[in-house]
Amino acid sequence: CAALTRLMPELDRLFGIPQPPRYHPEIDTGTHIMQVIDWTARRGYGLPVRWAALLHDLGKGTTPPEFWPKHHGHEGRGVGLAKALSERLKAPVECRDLAVLVARDHGNVHRAEELRPSTVLELLERCDAFRRPERFDECLQACEADFRSRPGFAERDYSPPERLKRALSSAREVDAGAIAQSAPPERIAERIRLARVQAIEQALAA
């Protein structure tokens, strides 16, 4: 009934936009979004995860056609779109915030095996995983749905959730209080960060 065009044009424009078939056998971006949202629904994930799944690839709708089927930088371009759409439709704050987080960092989550320990820590900090581990779990759920909903990908190995949870757990075990007591005030933050990077490195090497 053409309601999608009126209500969510950012989503509607994804239909007909191609993606690299190596990573997206379904090719069409709009079809991919429908597969991801179906995956989250079948698993009973909460509303924030479903909303984030629905909006995670909006940036691909802004890729100039001459660059198709690649969409370099679509994550960054999707952040503003996900935020604006969420605010326009008055989505709950937790839905908006998770959608922005997943739009921005789902590519980094997918590449978790390639990230250095220091970059993993930056990802965890950017996602506020230390203060909001439950929301970070929701982020990982949306990212895994993005991966596994693709045709033929359901049974493939997907290590980022387990890898990043292990990194977060190890980094959270660092005794920041003990470091604060033993380090000069101007070096506290630096030493806590170094200890967390080392903890992550050891955890990922295990």
Side-chain angles (χ1 to χ4, degrees):
C1 64
L4 187 62
T5 305
R6 298 287 299 275
L7 297 175
M8 305 175 76
E10 303 93 333
L11 183 63
D12 183 68
R13 71 168 63 104
L14 298 181
F15 290 89
I17 293 180
Q19 304 170 105
R22 175 184 175 187
Y23 303 107
H24 289 277
E26 73 283 358
I27 299 179
D28 186 274
T29 305
T31 299
H32 168 64
I33 295 297
M34 296 299 98
Q35 291 170 343
V36 179
I37 192 65
D38 283 347
W39 182 276
T40 64
R42 286 195 298 269
R43 275 145 189 81
Y45 291 154
L47 179 62
V49 178
R50 301 188 198 200
W51 185 249
L54 191 66
L55 306 189
H56 79 280
D57 266 348
L58 293 183
K60 291 182 178 179
T62 65
T63 303
E66 58 266 28
F67 296 119
W68 292 352
K70 297 182 178 180
H71 297 277
H72 294 306
H74 76 276
E75 296 94 344
R77 298 196 303 275
V79 169
L81 294 170
K83 183 178 181 180
L85 177 55
S86 297
E87 293 177 346
R88 189 175 73 245
L89 296 186
K90 296 180 172 57
V93 172
E94 61 269 22
C95 292
R96 180 201 65 193
D97 290 350
L98 186 64
V100 168
L101 190 159
V102 174
R104 183 190 65 216
D105 277 309
H106 66 275
N108 291 319
V109 170
H110 291 330
R111 293 188 292 271
E113 288 190 354
E114 305 170 16
L115 303 181
R116 295 173 298 179
S118 59
T119 309
V120 170
L121 178 58
E122 291 172 2
L123 173 62
L124 296 176
E125 291 173 338
R126 193 164 57 248
C127 293
D128 203 14
F130 291 95
R131 292 194 312 117
R132 299 285 303 278
E134 73 289 342
R135 190 179 67 179
F136 188 60
D137 283 344
E138 291 180 326
C139 170
L140 297 178
Q141 288 176 350
C143 291
E144 185 163 10
D146 176 28
F147 180 85
R148 294 201 181 279
S149 63
R150 306 171 195 183
F153 280 56
E155 303 304 324
R156 289 195 185 186
D157 178 58
Y158 185 67
S159 65
E162 187 275 334
R163 184 176 180 85
L164 292 173
K165 287 179 182 179
R166 187 166 72 245
L168 176 60
S169 177
S170 297
R172 294 184 76 189
E173 291 177 359
V174 170
D175 191 341
I179 295 175
Q181 291 179 352
S182 62
E186 69 276 9
R187 302 293 298 277
I188 291 175
E190 175 189 347
R191 292 191 179 179
I192 291 175
R193 179 175 178 78
L194 178 60
R196 285 176 171 174
V197 170
Q198 291 174 340
I200 291 172
E201 185 174 16
Q202 293 173 359
L204 298 184

